[in-house]
Amino acid sequence: MKENLDPGEETNTNEESTLDNVHHVNNPVLDLPQIEKKYLDEIKSYSQSENTYYFYDGVAKVEVKVITDEIIRVRLAPQGTFLEDFSYAIAKKTHRISRHQCIEEEDAYLVKTNTVTCKISKKDFLISFENREGKIMNADHSPMHWEENPDAGGYYVYCTKQTESKEAFYGLGDKASTFNLRGRRFTNWNSDTYAFAFNQDPLYKTIPFYIGLNDGDAYGIFFDNTFKTYFDFASEDPVKTSFWSEGGELQYYYIHGPHMIDVVRRYHVLTGTHYLPPLWAIGYHQCRWSYYPEANVRHVAEEFRKRQIPCDAIYLDIDYMDGYRCFTWNKQYFPDPKKMIFDLANDGFKTVVMIDPGLKVDENYWVFKEGKENKYFCRRGDDYFMEGYVWPGRCQFPDFTNPEVREWWGTLYQGLVEDGVAGFWNDMNEPAVFGRGTFPDDVRHNFDGQRGSHRKAHNVYGMQMVRATYDGLKKLYKNKRPFTITRAAYAGTQRYSSVWTGDNMATWEHLKIGVLQLQRLSVSGISFCGTDIGGFTGEPDGELYTRWVQFGVFSPFMRVHSAGDTRDREPWSFGEDWEKICKKFIELRYKLLPYIYSVFWEQTRYGYPILRPISLIEQHIESNWQREEEFSFGEKILVSPVLNPGQQSKIVYLPEGDWYYYFNNHIFQGGQEHNIETPLDEMPIFVKAGSVIAEYPVMQHTGEKKIEELLLNVYFGKGINKSYLYTDHGDTFAYEQDVYLEKCFITSGTDHSLDIKQQLKGLFTERYEEYDLKLIQLPFDIQKVLVDGKEIGYQKDESGYYRVRVSKDFEDILIQG
């Protein structure tokens, strides 16, 4: 009887009974679910864990996490289980939150901070973000949705936002498009795009971050997803902006403004700022594919010094290597590289060399041998090595997403560092493979223990390569700052490297593209950026080359570079007249180094973008949203490069306030356009009234001259204005222990007086003792100068400007008329 059976016997009897009733067919599952897009449904419940709130529709789960008062993260788990919380983009730091809470209303949940409200609609799971006044800054057009990927696993994930009728969009890295992205669709998939065209996409970098300008107020969206991603800015539908991915997690950060510059700064709070470069890295650099043999390198260096054209660095492209094997020297071309580098250094030149990721398959090549023995190379899905052809021939490639591989890679630079190499240039790291473009999707990666295919790792491969380079160099150089440059990048790369825009062309169109790209990169979190001045491929004439050098002075990274099958591209290559103009502008770069270095400090310390487009400076003026040719370098200097051949003048818009034309100190009123003449030896450069701009004497390289006294150009302006000047050792990390000097000059001008106050911060001590103040366009004749209450003398120079010499430690200068 049943009651006499033990529990196990009862279970077996039930199983047998169940099995007897099964109707066996070839395909017992008759109703396979159809693969289709699925949307979030009505919210069933919510829960909280510290600063994270979870909302659940019965199947899917959404996380709303408060990062700071102004930053909120949203994540979607289609089946209710989130992936590991891991990101290469996000900097490891502690964030401060004043307060947060979740308020349940009849129709919605409100996750509130002191600044932002994230509203989650109960009925349809639509998410929106509001400011303190209740203005909707950003809102879902449809609920987040997804579609199963049966071939690769995981999901395609989608987010669609409402787009206002006049909303403008900026950012997304190096896109070669109009500055306002509205009406365009883009793909993020790092690609080797030789001689790319205007509107060609994708390019070399993936920065899935954009800024929306909604009725004069700004917000940011950072879609932190390393798979191939897409962005549609009201292109398919004028009322929708969408972003989606072929895999990974739907995870984005809402970043509040309302000012564009605050959005950029808060994006840097998430992803980190640029490391502070050594001072020589922001001088003028000369590069070519390739300078070899040694005699050619020495000749170029000698010509710079003979012609007295400043230059801080000379680059060696792949031909310095032995058969393009990284970390080797071609001893036929460079028989004694250490002596050559030593001699160049004695003449003020740093040596920068290229390193690619592809390592030649050669059992006698020590780097390949080490990598093979330690299983450091990428493998395919069926465990074959990932092999492809690049410059050395058949190559294998390190898996830079493996921390052990990154550690090893960093040690490989030791020999070159001991030879005296000062900087390293990581190229071909999209990664590029001849014939097929890049790695196949089935290549496997460690992904710092998270594991994944190349679909997941592709866009971070270059970033992790230059990360390994930077971290290794930091150990090898000890207390000296490394200098690195990379072609491929993902969000957060600024923590490890500068960038350039890749293999451009020697055309006027590409000069225009470069102006757009550098502004876009700067507001996308990668300020230390530059173009190949003069164009990498093709043949510029003297005018195009010279106009590009002029733009290069106000590019954060200033480097001339060209392909080996083009004519020489040194500043003297186009004749004496063009050489004279190029020399004048390169000298200007060196005069402005104290200002330029201070702007870099503002990026490193405070997260300010180095290049600032007009739409960022004056976002409240709608007509400025489309401006592309004017931008400021830092806050105080505004430029508008000449972008057309034979151009005798151009219309330049100046922001509100007064501006001084740099070359003659003529004052222009801002808030309007001006027709500015553009002779070949000038370009529109303006200094904001009220600025204090430090200036160095012309040097042939940074550090050539000791500063005996520092020239301060004081551009008179009414009202109160602040200017900053930063200085330190120039090449060490002592600034991290407060061994730096940050000065704030506060000027207050009236019709009859000018007051200058100085505030100091930091522990660094300069070698000079005095300032030489050049007072520009005072509206009165000086009657008296008081420095910290004591009257001192003054004089006029040959140009009619008042000059005042004061101690570098002054606190207050009062100039009375």
Side-chain angles (χ1 to χ4, degrees):
M1 296 178 64
K2 183 182 290 187
E3 57 267 25
N4 293 324
L5 296 175
D6 64 36
E9 290 175 331
E10 180 177 6
T11 302
N12 292 337
T13 302
N14 288 338
E15 286 179 355
E16 290 170 4
S17 175
T18 302
L19 290 172
D20 288 340
N21 293 324
V22 170
H23 178 58
H24 296 281
V25 294
N26 290 335
N27 184 2
V29 182
L30 302 178
D31 56 347
L32 280 171
Q34 186 176 355
I35 295 176
E36 58 186 0
K37 282 187 180 179
K38 295 185 178 180
Y39 291 74
L40 288 167
D41 206 345
E42 181 180 358
I43 298 177
K44 299 291 194 300
S45 63
Y46 96 97
S47 61
Q48 177 184 356
S49 175
E50 297 181 341
N51 59 325
T52 304
Y53 300 86
Y54 298 98
F55 301 89
Y56 183 56
D57 73 354
V59 178
K61 186 180 289 186
V62 170
E63 174 199 280
V64 176
K65 183 174 184 178
V66 178
I67 307 298
T68 71
D69 289 352
E70 299 86 11
I71 302 172
I72 294 177
R73 184 178 75 175
V74 177
R75 297 171 78 197
L76 166 67
Q79 298 300 322
T81 302
F82 291 99
L83 300 178
E84 189 78 19
D85 194 355
F86 174 82
S87 172
Y88 283 122
I90 302 302
K92 293 180 180 178
K93 59 174 69 175
T94 302
H95 300 296
R96 179 179 172 273
I97 307 170
S98 299
R99 58 182 287 271
H100 61 86
Q101 60 179 325
C102 182
I103 300 173
E104 182 174 357
E105 295 186 340
E106 183 178 348
D107 62 344
Y109 294 99
L110 307 180
V111 176
K112 299 174 70 74
T113 73
N114 280 344
T115 308
V116 179
T117 296
C118 176
K119 182 177 181 179
I120 307 100
S121 172
K122 290 182 177 179
K123 178 181 178 181
D124 48 23
F125 230 126
L126 294 175
I127 297 175
S128 61
F129 299 90
E130 301 175 0
N131 65 11
R132 279 201 197 104
E133 291 72 39
K135 175 182 176 180
I136 297 175
M137 299 296 301
N138 177 267
D140 285 349
H141 183 278
S142 57
M144 291 184 287
H145 43 292
W146 62 93
E147 182 179 327
E148 188 178 344
N149 184 337
D151 295 324
Y155 303 91
Y156 300 98
V157 290
Y158 304 85
C159 188
T160 302
K161 299 288 188 178
Q162 295 179 11
T163 303
E164 300 302 317
S165 59
K166 294 183 179 180
E167 194 164 1
F169 300 97
Y170 307 96
L172 232 61
D174 63 345
K175 303 302 184 184
S177 178
T178 54
F179 193 60
N180 183 351
L181 302 173
R182 187 178 180 121
R184 296 295 319 285
R185 175 180 284 201
F186 299 96
T187 302
N188 284 328
W189 186 251
N190 294 354
S191 303
D192 178 6
T193 46
Y194 177 82
F196 58 91
F198 183 67
N199 281 335
Q200 182 173 338
D201 187 60
L203 297 181
Y204 299 94
K205 298 165 185 67
T206 291
I207 314 295
F209 163 66
Y210 72 85
I211 300 169
L213 192 52
N214 178 356
D215 192 28
D217 290 328
Y219 67 89
I221 296 289
F222 172 41
F223 180 28
D224 188 8
N225 183 301
T226 64
F227 285 75
K228 183 180 286 187
T229 53
Y230 303 86
F231 288 77
D232 183 303
F233 297 99
S235 173
E236 181 178 298
D237 187 328
V239 300
K240 297 179 184 178
T241 289
S242 300
F243 49 92
W244 65 99
S245 172
E246 293 187 354
E249 198 166 57
L250 180 47
Q251 171 183 243
Y252 71 89
Y253 295 80
Y254 169 83
I255 305 172
H256 192 66
H259 300 107
M260 284 179 66
I261 199 165
D262 292 327
V263 174
V264 177
R265 291 182 66 199
R266 287 164 186 155
Y267 172 76
H268 280 298
V269 167
L270 281 176
T271 63
T273 60
H274 278 282
Y275 63 79
L276 188 63
L279 186 60
W280 66 266
I282 59 175
Y284 174 81
H285 294 191
Q286 186 69 40
C287 184
R288 182 166 177 80
W289 177 26
S290 291
Y291 285 130
Y292 73 94
E294 178 181 324
N296 188 17
V297 178
R298 290 182 179 274
H299 173 72
V300 171
E302 288 166 2
E303 286 295 311
F304 270 103
R305 296 299 179 245
K306 182 179 76 174
R307 297 169 186 269
Q308 294 190 303
I309 299 174
C311 182
D312 259 280
I314 291 181
Y315 285 58
L316 304 180
D317 210 310
I318 53 176
D319 297 286
Y320 81 89
M321 304 175 192
D322 177 15
Y324 305 131
R325 295 170 179 85
C326 291
F327 307 104
T328 68
W329 288 97
N330 184 320
K331 290 302 182 76
Q332 180 181 351
Y333 295 153
F334 300 96
D336 192 348
K338 191 168 187 175
K339 184 178 188 308
M340 178 193 73
I341 293 170
F342 178 80
D343 292 343
L344 289 171
N346 281 341
D347 210 6
F349 292 97
K350 306 293 185 184
T351 301
V352 181
V353 304
M354 175 185 278
I355 294 291
D356 289 343
L359 300 176
K360 185 176 179 64
V361 176
D362 177 357
E363 297 293 344
N364 296 317
Y365 170 34
W366 66 277
V367 180
F368 174 77
K369 193 174 179 181
E370 281 188 20
K372 180 181 177 182
E373 289 174 353
N374 290 285
K375 300 182 179 180
Y376 287 157
F377 296 130
C378 294
R379 291 176 179 263
R380 302 288 296 273
D382 290 330
D383 216 33
Y384 295 104
F385 284 107
M386 165 55 214
E387 293 193 347
Y389 284 82
V390 281
W391 299 113
R394 188 161 64 99
C395 288
Q396 293 183 14
F397 301 82
D399 180 9
F400 295 110
T401 71
N402 184 334
E404 186 179 341
V405 175
R406 290 198 299 269
E407 183 75 20
W408 168 70
W409 185 261
T411 66
L412 299 178
Y413 290 90
Q414 182 173 350
L416 293 172
V417 168
E418 290 173 350
D419 288 337
V421 175
F424 292 89
W425 163 26
N426 288 168
D427 196 9
M428 301 288 289
N429 55 352
E430 289 72 34
V433 177
F434 293 160
R436 62 164 297 118
T438 190
F439 295 0
D441 286 347
D442 75 328
V443 170
R444 306 196 311 261
H445 295 272
N446 177 276
F447 219 83
D448 278 69
Q450 304 301 313
R451 299 171 304 283
S453 73
H454 196 65
R455 297 171 63 246
K456 181 178 179 180
H458 174 87
N459 284 329
V460 297
Y461 188 85
M463 174 199 196
Q464 295 308 300
M465 177 187 180
V466 80
R467 174 188 182 180
T469 300
Y470 178 80
D471 288 347
L473 293 174
K474 199 171 180 181
K475 294 175 183 176
L476 292 170
Y477 286 132
K478 303 191 186 321
N479 193 37
K480 298 291 184 182
R481 298 176 214 161
F483 169 66
T484 50
I485 174 173
T486 179
R487 190 169 73 178
Y490 182 71
T493 298
Q494 67 270 13
R495 302 195 299 272
Y496 313 112
S497 186
S498 63
V499 304
W500 90 105
T501 58
D503 295 340
N504 58 3
M505 300 177 67
T507 65
W508 288 93
E509 181 184 48
H510 264 265
L511 174 55
K512 296 174 187 176
I513 291 172
V515 171
L516 292 167
Q517 286 182 301
L518 298 199
Q519 291 181 76
R520 193 187 316 284
L521 281 163
S522 196
V523 301
S524 302
I526 302 188
S527 276
F528 195 2
C529 55
T531 65
D532 283 346
I533 293 172
F536 179 72
T537 184
E539 299 290 354
D541 59 14
E543 183 184 5
L544 174 58
Y545 179 86
T546 300
R547 289 302 195 189
W548 213 320
V549 167
Q550 292 172 352
F551 164 52
V553 172
F554 298 96
S555 301
F557 175 51
M558 186 182 185
R559 182 186 72 160
V560 169
H561 184 39
S562 59
D565 58 353
T566 64
R567 66 179 294 182
D568 291 345
R569 297 284 176 81
E570 293 76 39
W572 55 85
S573 300
F574 298 90
E576 186 176 341
D577 291 341
W578 300 115
E579 176 187 346
K580 183 179 179 181
I581 300 171
C582 290
K583 177 180 178 179
K584 170 184 173 179
F585 274 85
I586 295 170
E587 288 179 344
L588 174 60
R589 174 81 172 197
Y590 281 75
K591 287 182 182 179
L592 292 175
L593 276 179
Y595 174 79
I596 293 171
Y597 194 48
S598 300
V599 174
F600 269 84
W601 168 250
E602 291 179 2
Q603 154 56 212
T604 297
R605 187 60 176 264
Y606 304 111
Y608 286 106
I610 292 176
L611 302 188
R612 305 177 188 182
I614 294 294
S615 54
L616 180 143
I617 297 170
E618 288 186 340
Q619 68 185 58
H620 61 285
I621 301 176
E622 186 178 331
S623 59
N624 286 339
W625 298 356
Q626 309 300 328
R627 295 189 186 276
E628 298 181 335
E629 296 187 7
E630 304 96 337
F631 61 87
S632 70
F633 192 110
E635 183 187 9
K636 304 300 184 183
I637 297 179
L638 183 136
V639 300
S640 184
V642 179
L643 303 177
N644 297 289
Q647 190 169 359
Q648 300 300 309
S649 65
K650 72 175 300 186
I651 301 297
V652 177
Y653 175 82
L654 296 176
E656 295 165 350
D658 290 336
W659 295 83
Y660 288 79
Y661 185 64
Y662 178 81
F663 294 102
N664 60 17
N665 290 323
H666 180 73
I667 299 176
F668 288 82
Q669 186 176 352
Q672 59 186 290
E673 295 178 337
H674 296 272
N675 187 35
I676 306 299
E677 293 183 359
T678 55
L680 291 170
D681 65 343
E682 293 183 10
M683 68 173 277
I685 304 171
F686 295 86
V687 181
K688 192 174 185 179
S691 300
V692 178
I693 306 292
E695 183 178 305
Y696 277 169
V698 173
M699 304 183 194
Q700 294 310 295
H701 58 88
T702 55
E704 181 198 24
K705 298 177 181 178
K706 290 184 179 179
I707 307 301
E708 302 297 335
E709 65 177 12
L710 184 64
L711 174 62
L712 295 181
N713 294 301
V714 181
Y715 293 86
F716 177 84
K718 290 186 178 179
I720 297 175
N721 296 276
K722 292 183 178 181
S723 300
Y724 293 90
L725 175 64
Y726 174 83
T727 187
D728 62 16
H729 287 112
D731 63 353
T732 76
F733 285 96
Y735 70 88
E736 294 180 344
Q737 282 73 49
D738 293 337
V739 184
Y740 65 85
L741 201 55
E742 181 183 286
K743 303 181 179 185
C744 177
F745 298 105
I746 305 169
T747 63
S748 179
T750 71
D751 288 333
H752 306 290
S753 68
L754 174 64
D755 185 73
I756 307 172
K757 289 181 169 60
Q758 179 180 220
Q759 298 174 350
L760 306 178
K761 179 181 178 182
L763 305 175
F764 183 74
T765 302
E766 302 120 327
R767 293 178 179 176
Y768 61 85
E769 294 298 328
E770 287 189 332
Y771 296 133
D772 174 12
L773 270 62
K774 181 179 180 180
L775 306 175
I776 298 172
Q777 300 291 31
L778 290 181
F780 55 85
D781 290 326
I782 294 180
Q783 300 298 319
K784 183 186 294 186
V785 177
L786 298 173
V787 178
D788 296 329
K790 296 180 181 179
E791 186 171 353
I792 65 166
Y794 55 90
Q795 60 186 24
K796 276 191 174 183
D797 63 18
E798 64 276 5
S799 299
Y801 295 115
Y802 286 107
R803 307 292 280 263
V804 179
R805 282 179 167 79
V806 300
S807 167
K808 67 179 182 182
D809 299 319
F810 82 87
E811 293 182 2
D812 183 75
I813 301 172
L814 179 60
I815 302 166
Q816 298 176 329

